[in-house]
Structures are given as structure tokens and as C-alpha cells.
Amino acid sequence: MNKELDLLAIDIANSGVEYVFGIPGSGVSYYLLDQLEKKGVQFILVHHEASAALMAGGYAKTSGNIGISLSIKGPGLTNMIPGVAACRYENLPVISISECYGKQSPTSQAHKKIDQDDVLRAYVKTRESLVGNEDLLSKCILVAKTEPPGPVHIELADIDTNLFEGENSKPAGCIDEVVEAISRAKQPVLIVGSLATRKVWGNSINELAIPVFSTACAKGIFDETNKYSAGVYTGVGGEKSPEYGLLTQTDLIVSIGLRHSEVLKTQQFKCKSIQLDEVEEKYINGFNFDYLIDSNSYNYNKVIAALKNKNWGEELIAQRQEIVNAYFDTSYFLPASVYSFIESYFKGYARIVLDTGDFCTVGEHVCNVREHHLYLSSGQGRYMGISLPLAIGASLADRSVPTVCYTGDGGIGMYIAELKVAKAMKLPLVVVLLTDGGFSSVKRVTDSNRFTSKGVIPADSSWYGIVNGMGIDSQPVNCLRELGCMLEKWDKEGPIFIEASFDEEAYSLMALEIR
């Protein structure tokens, strides 16, 4: 099998992948690791296999390349599954690799054995054999990046390949009818999904002079400092949100890659709607679009050309933004003021990585992202704990800007040991814990139903002392002045940890009218 492992290592190195993340065993996974290192691909030893898959996802999203994680068979693979599942939710093109018993293994050979086909079936697009598989890496990259993108798996053994997802049948709508519908519209709105980030369509979209929303997964595809940026579309915007005010004024919704997985709720729009995409209708259930056409270059260019003839919404967007700004009054020390302060400090050029929670809801509406590669989150899975490994993978892929990782009371503890990786690699990483001492989005439900609080109040919500023990500069802050002092003394030659504590009652109320 060494011949196949040598070829795989050569192909990974030639693909431009700089890092592979994981925890190896003493068998074939370590042989592959050794071959990768000899060919210039650096192995990043993590503290949990799930964070290896998440770091691979952050690396893939930021670099535009594939991300790769490595583990042993059985328990190593099952440990990696939560990270693989998160990459599945977020449509991140990653390859997980693990050791495996081959199909010729006797049934009596059971150490660490589990049916890995069953384990992987729900989370990967294909399960591939290392042995007897020509152009293995090229095939895996193609499948991982085919819409909708997601994880694929390579078994370091001779197995029967199992393709869980076939090719999509593309929409066959008529572009001429779509262009005619746009020409008749007086006040069209564009909603952009993450497909546009993978097609690198940001430049042409940013030339439009109509209201443009993005899903949380596509945040930054339209420069959010642009006067026509309407912010994030979620499907559940509260009365203070831009979507609540703008979508009642439009007579046509045009969407690019708007899929039900990228919003919190799907519903049919109250006006005519057009969708450009390259996936089957099973990925867009609930919208009931009037027009559904293939998002090939010809159709896309025709739609953008038609939309460039429209000009409206600047004043209405400004009005809605004033409502948002007034609601998130940054004169109070809450997550909104922290986001605004850090954005101003870095002049809008820091990578933002959000975990999930009420602070994420605020961040999606307050943070102005200029380019989509400067933003990562769990916009589809709302996966608690994802932000730190994602941020480390993203920072490894691009050190040219600082990466700011925002996490909360629920997510911080899951992968905190990976801060040691950030320290060892001297990453320009700022980790900001936004804490009110509990899980506020869940606590509202427990309080209203008079349930026990045992499931929403951690034993100790403070982490800065533990992080200091790792040799990482860490401080609590209770105001913007203290936050500024912490940032001013940071030399960007490694991570820092900032623990921002907020008033519990004010924190619990901060997002109620936005979503």
C-alpha cells in the first residue's frame, strides 16, 4: 500500500495544499503524514479530531483550495465526525482521510472496528478507496467542490467505493422570460447565496444600484459599506431588520443560489421571484420560485445586465439602517459596541469568525464585511463551538490580516485546547469571549417556562485564567477603553484572549426585535 500512499502524498503536495490537520496512528496514517512532510506539506497536530476537520474547513473557505484532515480508524474517525458534519452543514469542500479495515480483513479482526460506511453515510458525498482508484485526489476534489460542496472521505485501505450523492440535474428555465420579468420590474431586490462566492461573482454584483441582501453564508459578497447593501437575509427578520422593511416594497425578488439550508425559514415571497442555481429543486424547497434557471455564465451575465438598468432603494436602505443603528445603540457596552469598536480599530480589514448564539445574531447585522473571504460562521448549521478551529484554519491560510474569533459561553470550552496550536504557529488571532454568564438564547425559554437553570448556567463562565496558563496574553474587559488598551499592546506575533463581560439582562434583550 506504500505505493498508493506515496502517490496520494505527491498529489496533495502538487494540489497546493499547505497544511493537513489531524491526529495520526502508528500505522498507515503516520506513513502518509511522513510522506506529506517530506514533500513540503506541513502537518498540524491538533488536540481533537473534530477540530482537525473544522480547521480544514476554515482553511478551505479562506484559501479556495481543498482542506484535509487525517485520523486513525474507528474511534479516531468517530471523533472527527462532528467536524465533518459541520463542514457538511456549511458546504465546505474538505477531504477527511482515515485508516480502515480493508474488505479482505477477517471478521475476527475487530480491534477498533466499526462499520465506517454506516458512520460516514450521512455526512460525506462519497467514500473512496485508496487502493485501485486512479486519479483519486482529483476525483475527490471534483466531488467535494461540485454544488452543493461538502466533505468526501478517503479510506486508507482497499474497500468498495460508495458514492452517496450523484450529479445534479440543472434547472432548465428560459432566460428570455427572466430578462423580460426583470425589465418589467420597478423595484427589484437581489438576494445572494454562497454559490456566488464560489463563482467569484462579487465584482459584478457590487456594480448594482438596487438593494442587495446576502445570506449569512455569503456575507461580504456585496460590500456591506456600499450604500445599496441591505445586509443579511434570514427569512425570519424581526420588525427592526432591513428585510422586514425592504421586502414589502419590492415587486420582484431575484436570487442567486438561495437555498433552504442557508436561511432560518423558507416561505414563498409575496411578489414574483427568480432563482439562478445549478442544483435540483430538492435544495430549494419552500420558496416556490416563479422562475428557476441554470446559473451558467451566459444566464448570469444576462440577469446582471438587466439589473444594471435599475436604480432604486438608496434612501429606503438608509432609513432601515438608521433603525438598526438606533436599536443596537453602541453607547452601551454590549456585543454591538464591541463589534463596532474592533471593526473601526482594524479599519474594516480583519477577518471575522462568529460562533453561534445571540451575539451571532447581533454580529450578522452589525459587522460590515467588505469581502466574503473576511467572514466565516456557522450560518447554516448554527454549530456551537465552531469558531475557534475555523479561525485557526483561516488564519493559517491567510496571515495578511488579523483574524478575530468571537465565541460565547457555550462554544468557548469545546475546542479551547486548540489555542495552543495558534500559539505555536504564532497566528495573528484575537479571540473574544462575549459572556453574560450563561446560554442566553436558551435561558429565555427556561425562564419563561420556569424550567431548571441547570442546563444554561455553566459552573464557571470565566476562561481568561486558564488561557493565561497556556502562556497566552489574556485579560477581562468591562468597557471599550479596556478593550482598546488590550488591542494596542498586541504585537500580532501570536494570539491574545479578551473576555468581555456584559450585563445579563441587557444581553438577553439585545436581539429580540431583529429576529
Side-chain angles (χ1 to χ4, degrees):
M1 194 186 297
N2 284 2
K3 177 183 176 182
E4 288 89 349
L5 291 166
D6 290 343
L7 289 172
L8 179 57
I10 290 169
D11 288 343
I12 289 173
N14 289 341
S15 73
V17 169
E18 302 164 282
Y19 303 96
V20 170
F21 308 87
I23 301 176
S26 58
V28 292
S29 61
Y30 209 98
Y31 181 86
L32 176 60
L33 181 166
D34 186 65
Q35 293 304 304
L36 288 167
E37 283 276 339
K38 289 174 179 176
K39 292 165 179 62
V41 179
Q42 189 169 352
F43 185 77
I44 304 295
L45 180 62
V46 302
H47 297 83
H48 194 280
E49 291 91 342
S51 56
L54 292 169
M55 288 182 196
Y59 177 84
K61 174 70 183 292
T62 304
S63 69
N65 205 335
I66 203 79
I68 300 177
S69 59
L70 178 68
S71 77
I72 64 168
K73 59 184 171 288
L77 174 63
T78 54
N79 271 356
M80 191 159 59
I81 286 298
V84 174
C87 290
R88 177 69 179 220
Y89 277 123
E90 306 311 324
N91 293 137
L92 298 173
V94 297
I95 298 174
S96 55
I97 302 174
S98 74
E99 297 176 355
C100 180
Y101 283 111
K103 58 186 177 183
Q104 301 302 324
S105 300
T107 55
S108 60
Q109 195 173 23
H111 179 60
K112 297 182 180 179
K113 195 169 189 176
I114 193 171
D115 189 331
Q116 297 192 180
D117 189 80
D118 278 354
V119 169
L120 289 159
R121 184 177 295 271
Y123 309 109
V124 302
K125 300 175 75 176
T126 184
R127 177 176 177 249
E128 297 286 334
S129 173
L130 172 70
V131 178
N133 205 338
E134 190 176 352
D135 295 324
L136 171 60
L137 187 69
S138 296
K139 181 193 299 184
C140 288
I141 291 174
L142 178 63
V143 174
K145 290 192 171 185
T146 297
E147 292 294 326
V152 302
H153 188 78
I154 296 174
E155 300 281 27
L156 299 181
D158 182 11
I159 65 156
D160 293 321
T161 291
N162 200 341
L163 180 65
F164 301 126
E165 288 186 13
E167 291 187 11
N168 287 298
S169 57
K170 296 188 176 183
C174 177
I175 183 61
D176 293 335
E177 293 178 0
V178 166
V179 171
E180 176 61 26
I182 294 173
S183 68
R184 291 196 302 268
K186 302 295 185 184
Q187 297 183 167
V189 162
L190 179 64
I191 304 176
V192 186
S194 63
L195 171 68
T197 68
R198 297 184 287 273
K199 294 290 189 180
V200 199
W201 285 339
N203 288 342
S204 53
I205 292 172
N206 275 275
E207 295 173 356
L208 298 177
I210 62 172
V212 178
F213 288 95
S214 73
T215 63
C217 305
K219 191 171 169 67
I221 186 66
F222 192 79
D223 182 350
E224 293 186 317
T225 65
N226 187 311
K227 61 187 177 182
Y228 289 102
S229 172
V232 169
Y233 174 77
T234 65
V236 292
E239 64 180 44
K240 303 291 187 184
S241 71
E243 69 185 270
Y244 182 90
L246 279 163
L247 294 187
T248 59
Q249 304 299 313
T250 182
D251 56 358
L252 178 69
I253 301 288
V254 180
S255 58
I256 300 172
L258 179 59
R259 300 170 187 169
H260 57 237
S261 60
E262 296 196 16
V263 296
L264 298 177
K265 181 181 179 180
T266 59
Q267 55 189 322
Q268 186 170 358
F269 294 109
K270 295 180 180 179
C271 60
K272 292 289 185 181
S273 59
I274 297 165
Q275 165 82 334
L276 283 79
D277 214 327
E278 55 183 69
V279 295
E280 297 170 309
E281 290 193 42
K282 67 180 181 180
Y283 294 104
I284 56 173
N285 288 333
F287 292 109
N288 298 321
F289 294 107
D290 297 288
Y291 304 91
L292 180 57
I293 62 169
D294 185 5
S295 57
N296 59 51
S297 296
Y298 177 80
N299 287 351
Y300 170 77
N301 289 331
K302 293 277 283 186
V303 166
I304 292 297
L307 290 174
K308 283 182 179 178
N309 294 322
K310 308 296 178 178
N311 189 321
W312 84 281
E314 178 183 350
E315 185 175 332
L316 183 57
I317 291 170
Q319 291 172 359
R320 297 306 304 182
Q321 193 56 54
E322 285 182 10
I323 293 172
V324 172
N325 293 343
Y327 182 70
F328 293 121
D329 185 349
T330 55
S331 63
Y332 295 96
F333 188 66
L334 282 169
S337 61
V338 172
Y339 291 133
S340 295
F341 185 91
I342 292 179
E343 180 181 320
S344 176
Y345 183 85
F346 291 116
K347 298 179 172 57
Y349 286 98
R351 179 175 295 104
I352 297 167
V353 187
L354 292 183
D355 213 281
T356 192
D358 279 347
F359 67 91
C360 170
T361 299
V362 175
E364 287 175 353
H365 290 280
V366 170
C367 297
N368 294 307
V369 181
R370 297 166 185 253
E371 302 170 26
H372 71 86
H373 66 88
L374 295 177
Y375 182 82
L376 295 88
S377 74
S378 185
Q380 299 190 63
R382 305 292 167 173
Y383 185 107
M384 194 161 65
I386 196 173
S387 60
L388 181 55
L390 272 186
I392 291 171
S395 188
L396 282 166
D398 177 19
R399 299 170 183 251
S400 67
V401 296
T403 295
V404 185
C405 167
Y406 294 99
T407 187
D409 292 300
I412 181 59
M414 295 182 178
Y415 303 112
I416 195 166
E418 308 305 347
L419 273 172
K420 292 185 175 182
V421 173
K423 180 176 184 290
M425 300 300 293
K426 298 182 178 180
L427 296 180
L429 175 64
V430 179
V431 179
V432 184
L433 170 60
L434 303 168
T435 174
D436 71 326
F439 304 172
S440 65
S441 59
V442 182
K443 191 172 183 296
R444 284 196 297 275
V445 177
T446 63
D447 287 351
S448 64
N449 288 281
R450 298 183 179 180
F451 293 157
T452 175
S453 63
K454 290 290 183 68
V456 293
I457 305 296
D460 184 353
S461 60
S462 180
W463 287 90
Y464 75 90
I466 293 170
V467 177
N468 266 329
M470 296 180 183
I472 296 170
D473 191 12
S474 175
Q475 292 291 333
V477 301
N478 295 287
C479 64
L480 295 180
R481 181 186 60 79
E482 293 174 350
L483 175 61
C485 290
M486 189 68 176
L487 293 173
E488 281 293 334
K489 68 177 184 177
W490 181 45
D491 62 7
K492 301 182 178 64
E493 294 295 321
I496 58 170
F497 185 90
I498 298 170
E499 184 169 297
S501 300
F502 306 107
D503 176 78
E504 180 182 342
E505 183 178 359
Y507 189 98
S508 69
L509 300 173
M510 67 184 178
L512 292 184
E513 295 181 72
I514 280 289
R515 193 168 297 172

